[in-house]
Amino acid sequence: MILPIIGYGDPVLRKVGEAVSEEHPNLKETISNMYETMYNACGVGLAAPQVGLAIRLFVVDTTPFSDDEDLEASEQKELNGFKRTFINAKIIKEEGEEWVFNEGCLSIPDVREDVYRKEKVTIEYCEEDFVMKTEVFDGLIARVIQHEYDHIEGVLFTDKISSLKKRLIQKKLKNIIEGKTFQDYRMKFFGKKGR
């Protein structure tokens, strides 16, 4: 089932997610709905707070990035088919050079900004079977994971840009809060009347 994506300004996007237990109600259905919602919105990642759930869960599928002709063949191959569910994730280490990439977010439509992140991440998490894993990711996969991980920590990519850039996008952010934005997927806006 396709869920509405929560728009910028909703307090749920600022909450630190609660740990998820194996007994969490309808967890498999929630995960399935999150993938369906992400694909419907043409995203490469989606975190539970973005569908109104303040829990430590996010999903990633970097396949759309594999079409980027500016990437080397090896990186395209790595991105193609990388699909993962992250439950109770904890970033252990971020390392390497910081590099810039123009990021966007399904909860903040029509806003894209350059964000600096470390190139490599070590993360501990459970997949749907609740077996704990520790893995190292780099490049675009690491970036998508860092972006989604920020969501379960109550952090948005707009928090990582300069105060000047924040001032320049204030009007767009206000429009999102008020529901005065148009996108090709369902959204729920915090400040829209008749909510």
Side-chain angles (χ1 to χ4, degrees):
M1 178 172 64
I2 295 169
L3 305 169
I5 291 174
I6 303 298
Y8 178 88
D10 194 301
V12 75
L13 295 175
R14 292 302 185 177
K15 289 184 179 167
V16 175
E18 302 264 331
V20 179
S21 74
E22 290 185 61
E23 292 77 39
H24 190 86
N26 307 315
L27 183 60
K28 285 199 183 310
E29 182 184 351
T30 297
I31 292 167
S32 172
N33 290 344
M34 284 176 63
Y35 276 110
E36 192 176 348
T37 301
M38 176 181 73
Y39 294 139
N40 178 67
C42 301
V44 292
L46 187 69
Q50 293 180 274
V51 292
L53 302 171
I55 58 174
R56 299 188 75 77
L57 165 66
F58 61 89
V59 298
V60 168
D61 186 340
T62 60
T63 303
F65 281 146
S66 66
D67 294 336
D68 188 338
E69 293 171 7
D70 293 336
L71 298 174
E72 292 179 19
S74 61
E75 194 168 10
Q76 285 178 332
K77 187 177 178 186
E78 189 180 16
L79 292 164
N80 190 22
F82 180 85
K83 178 180 174 180
R84 201 71 54 95
T85 300
F86 293 83
I87 299 171
N88 297 331
K90 180 171 176 42
I91 288 183
I92 308 298
K93 190 165 40 173
E94 291 174 308
E95 57 192 326
E97 295 291 317
E98 284 202 337
W99 63 290
V100 69
F101 188 82
N102 193 255
E103 292 189 20
C105 179
L106 297 176
S107 292
I108 313 175
D110 303 324
V111 175
R112 296 195 66 84
E113 291 294 337
D114 287 347
V115 176
Y116 284 87
R117 296 189 189 269
K118 299 275 190 180
E119 60 191 354
K120 188 187 286 188
V121 64
T122 303
I123 189 167
E124 189 179 87
Y125 69 99
C126 297
E127 285 190 300
E128 288 182 53
D129 57 9
F130 275 85
V131 172
M132 185 66 77
K133 293 182 159 194
T134 302
E135 289 189 274
V136 178
F137 299 103
D138 60 12
L140 276 173
I141 291 174
R143 178 169 291 271
V144 174
I145 289 169
Q146 288 165 310
H147 178 108
E148 299 309 326
Y149 182 82
D150 278 352
H151 275 298
I152 64 170
E153 291 291 323
V155 175
L156 300 173
F157 86 94
T158 50
D159 299 338
K160 298 182 177 289
I161 62 175
S162 71
S163 50
L164 171 64
K165 291 251 175 94
K166 282 181 191 162
R167 282 198 300 277
L168 293 173
I169 63 169
Q170 272 315 107
K171 178 87 170 114
K172 283 184 177 181
L173 295 177
K174 186 174 183 286
N175 285 343
I176 295 167
I177 291 170
E178 295 172 358
K180 297 176 184 169
T181 181
F182 302 98
Q183 62 292 317
D184 294 338
Y185 50 90
R186 282 178 65 205
M187 286 194 74
K188 190 173 181 182
F189 301 102
F190 181 67
K192 195 167 184 179
K193 304 285 183 260
R195 195 171 173 248

